[in-house]
Amino acid sequence: MSKREKKLYLIGGPMGVGKTTVGQILKSHLDNCVFLDGDWCWDMKPFQVTPETRKMVIKNICFLLNNFIRCTVYDNIVFCWVMHEQAIMDNIISRLNIENCSIIKISLTCTEKILRERLEKDVENGVRNAEVIPRGLAYLPLYSEVQSIKIDTSKKTPDEIVREIVSISDNS
């Protein structure tokens, strides 16, 4: 008896593009699904990006992903994070036991104007600090180099994006 193949959805994109919202909705559309956000491994005060914290966060992310990949209860794993460089995605994948798991790599993007508006709204609502605006805008063009399926979220609702991802998954 062969095991069912799992699907791991790696969803990248700059902050403010809608990864978390899309990931949560996608979780509700897939059977036996878990949603993980890489930002949970960075939720610290003070927020410090050092070689040590980067290494720790990647190690923690891969530990969690591998545990869910091994768990027979889940068929679908949705992971979102700011994976703006191919090396980040490759590093994560290289540490995973994906023997019986297909990977669907997606980058959510949008126009610079839309991203600025979304981030400014988040700052106004106290969800983000203003320093994320230039960082998010700087990351946006980097996704063109990431080997993934690109979905432009500029004029789409989260539900439309999820339907697109499900369609991609069904055809893979």
Side-chain angles (χ1 to χ4, degrees):
M1 181 175 158
S2 65
K3 290 193 263 178
R4 244 183 330 210
E5 184 173 75
K6 292 182 179 254
K7 289 186 179 178
L8 171 60
Y9 298 79
L10 296 179
I11 302 175
M15 50 289 273
V17 78
K19 297 179 303 295
T20 301
T21 301
V22 166
Q24 289 287 6
I25 296 170
L26 182 60
K27 176 183 71 176
S28 71
H29 281 74
L30 299 172
D31 293 331
N32 305 318
C33 186
V34 62
F35 169 72
L36 302 167
D37 188 330
D39 286 348
W40 299 338
C41 296
W42 280 108
D43 193 2
M44 55 186 104
K45 185 176 179 180
F47 179 74
Q48 297 180 58
V49 180
T50 68
E52 180 183 17
T53 61
R54 281 179 204 250
K55 184 177 179 181
M56 176 193 65
V57 167
I58 292 288
K59 188 174 180 181
N60 289 342
I61 286 169
C62 294
F63 176 82
L64 289 170
L65 288 173
N66 273 318
N67 278 339
F68 281 106
I69 290 169
R70 275 192 297 275
C71 183
T72 60
V73 173
Y74 299 104
D75 297 322
N76 295 286
I77 302 148
V78 176
F79 173 71
C80 73
W81 199 32
V82 178
M83 294 178 279
H84 60 288
E85 297 171 347
Q86 186 64 43
I88 296 169
M89 199 174 281
D90 290 346
N91 187 13
I92 291 170
I93 293 169
S94 75
R95 296 166 181 252
L96 300 179
N97 180 359
I98 54 170
E99 183 179 322
N100 193 36
C101 186
S102 62
I103 300 174
I104 300 155
K105 298 178 268 188
I106 296 169
S107 293
L108 301 182
T109 64
C110 63
T111 66
E112 185 176 318
K113 179 181 183 289
I114 295 288
L115 185 59
R116 180 182 300 280
E117 289 171 0
R118 290 177 183 173
L119 291 171
E120 287 172 350
K121 183 178 178 186
D122 284 353
V123 170
E124 282 177 31
N125 292 333
V127 177
R128 299 181 195 275
N129 295 321
E131 64 265 7
V132 303
I133 296 172
R135 193 167 70 236
L137 294 172
Y139 285 178
L140 185 59
L142 300 177
Y143 285 93
S144 66
E145 300 298 317
V146 176
Q147 296 168 6
S148 60
I149 298 164
K150 311 299 187 287
I151 298 177
D152 187 334
T153 67
S154 299
K155 296 179 181 176
K156 295 178 183 166
T157 67
D159 286 319
E160 289 171 326
I161 298 162
V162 167
R163 282 194 297 274
E164 190 170 338
I165 292 170
V166 170
S167 174
I168 291 165
S169 170
D170 289 344
N171 295 321
S172 64

